[in-house]
């Protein structure tokens, strides 16, 4: 697997700034929101402000509802993006070539959830996308939203996991009938990405999550990579935690974590746990990034993708994908539009009048979208 140096990642990553809009918020609301305002950096490239093409995959189940919500809000903001929409479903054998060509041309994709068949040898299209586009870093931003009550306060965790290798990547085969072997590798580039992300976003600590006490070779190599990279960032505190202890610490004292870097499978579990603690998977944004491409989607697992009742009632929560699309706007070098969108979403959550069932309300997707549009400055 190719290795990339820190200077290359520094070139790909640059810190974006966000602007405040005091006219929109009351002083009480603004003070609470300010604590959450921070720019999430996703390898933005220089741009001239011209509209950018984005490949849009509505996906399965609630996917069309939440991607439709994003389209409406983008249109209301007159955001400088246009969508190339394609029908892709999780039961397909592979992502259609025209879709891959569109993503490679646009460099950016926004997608709803795709149902992953269980067993039967059918490959996940989500994994296919990550492999073919080499989206080696998955990032999930888990933080408390003002006005949304949770068991823990001051949660602000970024989970960065390796996205193309390890058990969760599907690198497995049957050696002989009844004997299945799973392949696990490690790459130092995810460690470099995590530390560079922390450095550029003024984060103070990086925690490596592992099981090296048992997986001494594979996870041992992962730790060696993290330790080596950590020496190049003396201003960032580095520590390590075994994955089972990590889960216990997450549910008991999540505020101790800042940036977490993990191998593939552990990261999927840790990210969903952190998302549940911070307010639920329906409000956590995320993205999958590589050297050349980025795919933005709901940060934690969209477990309700196939929930027919939510689809029929049209009560899917669009917040996670709206916040993911704000990340996408920053990635495209449109930070002011990203700030407007994030501020409007947080205002709606804070006021609490329009919330879907998973957040304790009874609003439909469209009612939440209308509220967000009305809250745009």
């Amino acid at each position: 697997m190719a290795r990339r140096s820190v200077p290359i990642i520094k070139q790909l990553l640059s810190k974006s700034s966000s602007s405040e809009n005091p006219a929109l918020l009351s002083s009480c609301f603004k003070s609470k929101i300010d604590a959450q305002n921070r720019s999430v950096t996703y390898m933005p490239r220089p741009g001239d402000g011209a509209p950018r093409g984005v490949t849009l995959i509505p996906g399965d189940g609630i996917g069309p509802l939440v991607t439709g919500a994003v389209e409406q809000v983008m249109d209301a903001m007159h955001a400088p993006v246009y969508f190339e929409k394609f029908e892709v479903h999780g039961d397909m054998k592979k992502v259609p070539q025209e879709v891959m060509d569109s993503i490679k041309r646009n460099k950016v994709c926004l997608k709803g959830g795709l149902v992953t068949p269980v067993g039967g040898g059918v490959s996940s299209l989500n994994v296919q996308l990550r492999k073919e586009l080499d989206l080696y870093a998955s990032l999930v931003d888990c933080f408390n939203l003002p006005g949304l009550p949770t068991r823990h306060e001051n949660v602000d965790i970024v989970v960065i996991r390796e996205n193309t290798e390890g058990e969760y990547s599907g690198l497995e085969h049957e050696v002989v009938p009844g004997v299945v072997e799973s392949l696990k590798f490690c790459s130092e580039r995810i460690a470099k990405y995590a530390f560079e992300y922390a450095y550029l976003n003024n984060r103070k600590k990086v925690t490596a999550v592992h099981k090296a006490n048992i997986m001494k070779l594979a996870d041992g190599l992962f730790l060696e990579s993290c330790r080596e990279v950590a020496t190049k960032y003396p201003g960032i505190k580095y520590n390590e935690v075994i994955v089972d202890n990590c889960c216990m610490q997450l549910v008991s004292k999540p505020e101790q974590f800042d940036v977490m870097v993990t191998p593939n499978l552990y990261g999927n579990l840790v990210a969903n746990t952190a998302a549940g603690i911070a307010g639920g998977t329906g409000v956590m944004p995320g993205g999958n990034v590589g050297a050349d491409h980025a795919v933005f989607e709901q940060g934690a697992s969209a477990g309700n993708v196939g929930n027919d009742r939510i689809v029929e009632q049209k009560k899917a929560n669009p917040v996670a994908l709206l916040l993911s699309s704000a990340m996408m706007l920053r990635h495209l070098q449109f930070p002011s539009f990203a700030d407007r969108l994030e501020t409007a979403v947080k205002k709606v959550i804070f006021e609490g009048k329009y919330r879907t069932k998973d957040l304790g309300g009874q609003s439909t997707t469209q009612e939440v979208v209308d509220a967000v549009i009305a809250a745009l400055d």
Side-chain angles (χ1 to χ4, degrees):
M1 187 63 67
R3 299 178 185 275
R4 304 183 184 277
S5 64
V6 171
I8 293 178
I9 296 181
K10 285 185 177 180
Q11 183 180 0
L12 294 172
L13 290 159
S14 65
K15 191 171 184 179
S16 58
S17 59
S18 60
S19 58
E20 301 288 340
N21 194 333
L24 181 61
L25 308 173
S26 69
S27 59
C28 175
F29 172 67
K30 182 176 181 296
S31 65
K32 293 186 178 182
I33 291 298
D34 282 349
Q36 296 292 340
N37 273 347
R38 61 204 183 284
S39 295
V40 180
T41 305
Y42 277 94
M43 306 186 324
R45 291 170 295 278
D48 57 4
R52 289 289 302 273
V54 174
T55 304
L56 179 64
I57 300 176
D60 298 313
I62 67 167
L65 279 174
V66 293
T67 55
V70 172
E71 288 184 277
Q72 291 183 60
V73 174
M74 291 290 183
D75 184 63
M77 289 198 303
H78 303 288
V81 298
Y82 60 92
F83 293 108
E84 295 179 2
K85 186 185 299 187
F86 295 91
E87 288 296 320
V88 180
H89 301 286
D91 58 359
M92 293 180 173
K93 291 185 178 180
K94 61 179 297 185
V95 179
Q97 188 57 47
E98 61 177 353
V99 179
M100 297 305 303
D101 292 340
S102 173
I103 298 175
K104 291 177 180 179
R105 180 175 61 254
N106 293 326
K107 309 294 185 184
V108 177
C109 173
L110 182 72
K111 64 181 284 291
L114 292 172
V115 172
T116 300
V118 178
V122 180
S123 177
S124 165
L125 295 192
N126 297 305
V127 174
Q128 284 185 30
L129 277 172
R130 295 166 194 165
K131 287 182 177 179
E132 186 162 345
L133 298 172
D134 195 24
L135 305 174
Y136 66 87
S138 168
L139 191 152
V140 182
D141 200 3
C142 304
F143 55 92
N144 292 127
L145 284 165
L148 184 63
T150 57
R151 187 180 298 271
H152 297 279
E153 298 181 353
N154 302 316
V155 178
D156 188 2
I157 304 170
V158 175
V159 181
I160 297 174
R161 70 179 173 106
E162 209 294 317
N163 213 23
T164 57
E165 301 174 351
E167 301 97 334
Y168 196 71
S169 66
L171 292 172
E172 58 183 6
H173 63 277
E174 190 172 31
V175 182
V176 296
V179 179
V180 176
E181 183 178 41
S182 178
L183 305 178
K184 183 169 183 175
F185 301 97
C186 178
S187 173
E188 70 181 61
R189 63 180 179 173
I190 193 65
K192 291 179 178 178
Y193 184 94
F195 276 91
E196 192 66 12
Y197 175 91
Y199 173 73
L200 292 174
N201 288 276
N202 196 31
R203 296 280 181 161
K204 306 303 182 184
K205 181 170 67 174
V206 172
T207 300
V209 182
H210 67 95
K211 191 65 177 174
N213 57 323
I214 303 299
M215 309 290 290
K216 297 183 183 298
L217 295 179
D219 282 20
L221 180 59
F222 171 72
L223 287 185
E224 287 180 17
S225 299
C226 291
R227 291 167 184 170
E228 180 180 351
V229 174
T231 62
K232 302 174 183 178
Y233 294 83
I236 298 174
K237 183 179 179 181
Y238 170 70
N239 67 338
E240 301 166 357
V241 61
I242 297 174
V243 63
D244 39 357
N245 181 38
C246 171
C247 293
M248 187 273 290
Q249 294 290 335
L250 268 175
V251 299
S252 59
K253 194 178 178 183
E255 60 274 9
Q256 67 183 287
F257 296 108
D258 191 356
V259 174
M260 306 177 76
V261 59
T262 79
N264 202 335
L265 179 60
Y266 308 156
N268 187 52
L269 306 177
V270 168
N272 279 273
T273 302
I277 291 167
T281 59
V283 295
M284 299 302 152
N288 304 282
V289 299
D292 300 309
H293 308 94
V295 175
F296 296 89
E297 59 187 332
Q298 181 170 322
S301 294
N304 56 2
V305 167
N307 191 317
D308 294 334
R309 179 176 295 182
I310 293 178
V311 176
E312 292 171 0
Q313 296 176 346
K314 297 184 178 180
K315 290 186 176 182
N317 190 347
V319 170
L321 200 64
L322 286 171
L323 292 177
S324 296
S325 65
M327 289 183 172
M328 180 190 74
L329 288 170
R330 279 205 182 86
H331 175 78
L332 293 172
Q333 288 286 60
F334 301 126
S336 61
F337 287 92
D339 291 341
R340 288 181 63 202
L341 177 52
E342 283 186 349
T343 301
V345 170
K346 290 176 181 178
K347 184 174 189 291
V348 171
I349 293 294
F350 178 78
E351 292 177 343
K353 185 177 180 180
Y354 297 99
R355 293 181 182 177
T356 49
K357 187 174 181 179
D358 58 313
L359 301 184
Q362 292 296 326
S363 301
T364 64
T365 304
Q366 190 58 51
E367 288 172 340
V368 175
V369 172
D370 292 340
V372 170
I373 292 174
L376 291 169
D377 58 345

